[in-house]
Amino acid sequence: MCGIIGYVGGADKAVEVILDGLTKLEYRGYDSAGIAIIENGKLFVEKKSGRLENLKSVIRTDKESHLGIGHTRWATHGVPTDVNAHPHVSFNNKVAVVHNGIIENYATIKEQLRAEGVCFTSDTDTEVIAHLYAKLFDGDPVTTMVALKKKMRGTYALGIVNSDDPERIVCARKEGPLIIGLGEDKNFIASDVPAILKYTRDVIFLDDDEIAVIEKDKVSVYDAEGRLIEKESKKIEWDMDQASKAGYPHFMLKEIEEEPAVVEKTLGIYVNPKGDVDFGETFGKIDFEKIEQIDIVACGTAYYAGLQGEYFLKKNAGLKTAVEIASEFRYSDPFVDQKHLVIFISQSGETLDSIMALKTAREKGAKTLAIANVLGSTITREADMALYTLAGPEISVASTKAYTAQVTMLYLLSLYVGLRRKAITKAQYDQRLDKIYVLSEYIGNVFFQKEKIKALAAEIREKEHAFYIGRGIDEKIAREGALKMKEISYVHAESFPGGELKHGTIALIEQGTPVVVIATQKDMVEKMLSNAKEVKARGAFVIVLTKKACKELEEVADRMIYIDDIDDMLAPLLAVTPMQLLAYYTACAKGLDVDKPRNLAKSVTVE
Ligand code: F6R
């Protein structure tokens, strides 16, 4: 979702640095882009709808400027046009604003400003910020920002430049991600690390309601009332190589192929040399025997990882577990209290729905644990405890390796909790932990079927609909498989429990409609065979995903995809990879922009 970059430096390189930053932010998802610089003491703004290339084609990179801001916009208020793109400029042409979030009371502010004679040019909520800041400016960016914040309701990460204050960028955050990069004779603001990693590894994570003023050789952070505060910087350990395609045609394929390494890394870090799951000091304060329920809250793919986690926690930890969609959590009058551990799963750690749900759970007294991939992300700072998945930067919008890391982590967590709650014996714990060691090799074996999956993708690329069915935990993989297919290939794909299709949706099966039958659980194979026959009898093109040991389904399948004979409980971790590849190759076969699917954002920072 919207990406922000800002630069103040000694050399006149603002345009170059900002365009480079915007390129690195593209993966977040956007539909227009813009830039504002101070050039010879005056504001210069350029913005274009569509791809960043459109902006790059009209702006000269040799323009001299030491300071500026840039933005990739993911439209919320107002369609994606040049006019609605950020930065937005004040009535006096002095202030430019980039914003990620939604100003909820913008209509009221707009009316007031209109009554004072301000003309609006865009349909956005953001434009009010530019006019208001210009009206409120008293020579001090901090007091101005304090006053501005008091007038706005909603969420924001903001970067503001002002030609009347040409040596500084002022920024503020409220439930929108914003970091400050500390360089030598140059400093930055950005929505996330990749935008500035080329220039610095030293980063300050701005917290909610904080304000910062960025100068060439100084960064000052203030609280909501404008009092100066001390902030520690953090060192980013990963580097840009991990965020490059490294010869792959798309980030998505690279990231899928990193899954074996992600599993190994997770096991290497979270299983100690004695062979025990080891989360260090993370759970110091928790007595798992006193926890009555675990709730898992997340969105999208992370939610589907949570559904696998529910199964693990029930089986391995004997714990009542509920999984909820983060955006619904607050409205479901959640019954959580101090006897509940609520786990928030998020790749980005910045999904606003998950952050808001976390706040709700915390207010109700629950213990909160974040499982996130991005170091220092908001969720990890807001939760009582945090565990990092070690997937490395995930750039493709469609989440793949992060899912694998999340599910691996949940499996380890379920064993860890199970042992402490005495739900499983040490022998069962050892045995179940041992079983995961084949996983990375088995995922690697899936890649030997890439050509076969690619050929299958070519067969289904013209289809309008596809259905995915499974029972038990296979139904959860079906959901993730269908989501991957929809989001990158735009084939309408839905998932159902194996027995459910015939209660209505089977009416949609026509000659050649692809139905992906997932049957990795031994005791479900017969039932899935029946379900496969039901759809086959109505003309479906049946694609079966099962283990090598389950040949029975061959009799009904038009195409087979096999995974190795892993333990049933771990099959979801293995079965997801061919589903990801099927979606990937279908999108490629359709010539689509795999890594940046239309309308989607990597980090969903609005509710
Ligand atoms: C799907 C996908 C999304 C995310 C969801 C949550 O491929 O990437 O469904 O899983 O937006 O994002 P995070 O995990 O960053 O909270």
Side-chain angles (χ1 to χ4, degrees):
M1 216 151 257
C2 304
I4 289 176
I5 171 84
Y7 164 84
V8 194
D12 286 330
K13 288 168 63 177
V15 174
E16 191 187 317
V17 175
I18 291 166
L19 288 179
D20 182 58
L22 291 178
T23 309
K24 303 284 171 6
L25 290 168
E26 274 192 291
Y27 81 98
R28 294 169 66 88
Y30 71 103
D31 38 48
S32 54
I35 182 168
I37 53 168
I38 304 289
E39 188 188 28
N40 302 324
K42 290 214 165 66
L43 197 60
F44 169 85
V45 176
E46 191 73 74
K47 42 197 202 167
K48 282 274 163 228
S49 63
R51 288 289 178 213
L52 190 54
E53 291 313 314
N54 300 352
L55 176 69
K56 287 183 180 168
S57 67
V58 293
I59 191 162
R60 283 200 356 248
T61 47
D62 60 353
K63 272 187 161 302
E64 294 199 344
S65 173
H66 63 292
L67 176 149
I69 48 180
H71 190 264
T72 47
R73 172 176 187 248
W74 188 87
T76 59
H77 294 54
V79 294
T81 56
D82 291 357
V83 170
N84 286 337
H86 298 210
H88 286 285
V89 177
S90 60
F91 57 87
N92 57 5
N93 217 24
K94 292 187 168 180
V95 174
V97 174
V98 287
H99 169 217
N100 176 7
I102 293 173
I103 304 304
E104 284 164 5
N105 60 337
Y106 85 100
T108 318
I109 300 175
K110 195 166 177 172
E111 237 169 74
Q112 286 159 2
L113 288 167
R114 269 197 176 132
E116 292 169 27
V118 174
C119 292
F120 281 77
T121 51
S122 78
D123 306 319
T124 67
D125 53 328
T126 304
E127 191 181 341
V128 298
I129 307 173
H131 299 309
L132 254 187
Y133 188 91
K135 285 217 163 231
L136 293 168
F137 187 64
D138 61 5
D140 178 348
V142 181
T143 51
T144 308
M145 187 62 101
V146 171
L148 176 73
K149 277 171 66 55
K150 291 197 166 128
K151 293 196 180 287
M152 295 185 300
R153 213 180 54 240
T155 58
Y156 45 84
L158 282 181
I160 301 182
V161 295
N162 180 358
S163 58
D164 276 350
D165 186 14
E167 301 305 323
R168 346 183 234 202
I169 298 175
V170 59
C171 60
R173 94 159 250 180
K174 188 170 176 54
E175 283 144 17
L178 200 59
I179 61 170
I180 298 167
L182 307 171
E184 234 171 73
D185 270 345
K186 48 180 164 309
N187 290 305
F188 308 83
I189 60 167
S191 293
D192 60 23
V193 173
I196 54 168
L197 199 55
K198 185 166 158 190
Y199 309 100
T200 179
R201 289 176 173 278
D202 297 312
V203 163
I204 292 175
F205 293 96
L206 219 53
D207 281 306
D208 265 357
D209 275 325
E210 288 176 353
I211 296 167
V213 175
I214 321 294
E215 295 166 74
K216 169 175 97 113
D217 41 21
K218 193 166 148 209
V219 166
S220 318
V221 183
Y222 304 84
D223 69 10
E225 294 306 322
R227 289 176 291 245
L228 192 65
I229 52 174
E230 287 282 318
K231 291 282 283 187
E232 262 184 43
S233 65
K234 292 227 159 54
K235 221 184 219 3
I236 302 300
E237 300 298 345
W238 53 272
D239 51 41
M240 278 319 284
D241 287 354
Q242 286 177 274
S244 74
K245 282 191 209 154
Y248 282 86
H250 300 102
F251 278 107
M252 183 173 176
L253 185 60
K254 173 178 176 255
E255 288 162 6
I256 295 171
E257 292 206 11
E258 282 171 358
E259 286 169 7
V262 165
V263 171
E264 294 222 330
K265 193 165 174 197
T266 307
L267 298 180
I269 303 274
Y270 292 113
V271 180
N272 66 26
K274 285 196 231 146
D276 275 319
V277 180
D278 188 346
F279 293 125
E281 302 299 307
T282 311
F283 296 113
K285 293 176 245 157
I286 302 275
D287 179 352
F288 280 105
E289 290 198 80
K290 295 210 172 108
I291 297 289
E292 287 180 0
Q293 179 166 325
I294 289 190
D295 302 84
I296 301 177
V297 183
C299 301
T301 289
Y303 168 76
Y304 295 144
L307 292 175
Q308 301 294 354
E310 174 189 18
Y311 178 80
F312 297 152
L313 283 158
K314 283 180 177 163
K315 284 261 177 200
N316 291 334
L319 249 174
K320 203 167 154 205
T321 307
V323 193
E324 301 230 28
I325 289 185
S327 55
E328 287 295 309
F329 185 73
R330 283 197 290 164
Y331 312 112
S332 64
D333 201 6
F335 185 77
V336 293
D337 58 21
Q338 65 281 4
K339 294 194 192 99
H340 287 230
L341 171 66
V342 189
I343 303 176
F344 296 86
I345 308 174
S346 175
Q347 187 288 126
S348 62
E350 300 294 350
T351 302
L352 192 55
D353 287 320
S354 301
I355 295 169
M356 300 314 279
L358 193 157
K359 290 184 177 171
T360 304
R362 216 177 39 198
E363 274 159 25
K364 288 181 171 274
K367 295 167 185 64
T368 55
L369 166 70
I371 297 183
N373 197 39
V374 176
L375 176 82
S377 51
T378 304
I379 278 184
T380 63
R381 287 180 286 134
E382 293 279 343
D384 300 324
M385 300 155 278
L387 285 174
Y388 284 102
T389 48
L390 303 162
E394 193 181 63
I395 305 296
S396 182
V397 163
S399 190
T400 53
K401 63 175 180 172
Y403 171 92
T404 301
Q406 288 157 355
V407 181
T408 306
M409 178 72 95
L410 288 164
Y411 186 73
L412 296 184
L413 182 67
S414 69
L415 293 175
Y416 179 92
V417 177
L419 190 66
R420 273 144 195 87
R421 287 176 58 81
K422 302 185 186 67
I424 46 172
T425 63
K426 179 73 168 80
Q428 284 173 313
Y429 163 93
D430 286 337
Q431 197 195 28
R432 292 180 196 188
L433 188 54
D434 260 6
K435 285 185 173 159
I436 202 171
Y437 279 90
V438 293
L439 184 63
S440 61
E441 181 194 332
Y442 285 4
I443 297 177
N445 290 343
V446 170
F447 302 138
F448 291 119
Q449 295 181 78
K450 272 189 337 194
E451 285 308 312
K452 186 170 146 186
I453 296 172
K454 197 172 174 179
L456 172 56
E459 290 183 276
I460 62 172
R461 57 180 269 231
E462 302 293 349
K463 302 292 177 192
E464 247 181 88
H465 310 281
F467 297 98
Y468 288 64
I469 55 174
R471 285 173 184 255
I473 43 173
D474 284 341
E475 188 263 329
K476 323 296 183 223
I477 309 167
R479 295 200 208 187
E480 175 58 8
L483 175 61
K484 284 288 96 82
M485 183 60 85
K486 299 187 256 229
E487 68 179 325
I488 59 165
S489 77
Y490 316 150
V491 172
H492 166 239
E494 294 299 332
S495 67
F496 294 91
E500 190 59 19
L501 206 58
K502 59 182 172 292
H503 295 290
T505 312
I506 203 162
L508 293 175
I509 305 283
E510 291 172 350
Q511 199 60 37
T513 306
V515 176
V516 180
V517 177
I518 303 174
T520 69
Q521 308 293 298
K522 273 187 215 81
D523 52 353
M524 301 289 178
V525 167
E526 276 181 20
K527 293 250 182 304
M528 288 312 297
L529 182 59
S530 305
N531 296 143
K533 283 184 173 167
E534 287 157 14
V535 291
K536 179 83 181 167
R538 276 132 191 112
F541 178 69
V542 176
I543 301 158
V544 171
L545 170 67
T546 190
K547 287 194 215 165
K548 284 180 180 153
C550 308
K551 303 267 186 236
E552 304 91 307
L553 284 144
E554 275 183 10
E555 95 176 66
V556 71
D558 291 291
R559 300 288 178 269
M560 294 292 297
I561 303 171
Y562 282 113
I563 52 169
D564 283 323
D565 294 324
I566 198 162
D567 182 76
D568 274 3
M569 212 190 301
L570 289 162
L573 270 159
L574 188 52
V576 76
T577 309
M579 294 294 87
Q580 295 165 344
L581 287 172
L582 183 60
Y584 170 74
Y585 284 120
T586 307
C588 291
K590 293 177 82 168
L592 297 172
D593 192 349
V594 174
D595 286 331
K596 290 180 231 119
R598 70 182 178 209
N599 302 341
L600 292 183
K602 182 71 185 157
S603 180
V604 182
T605 51
V606 294
E607 280 179 273

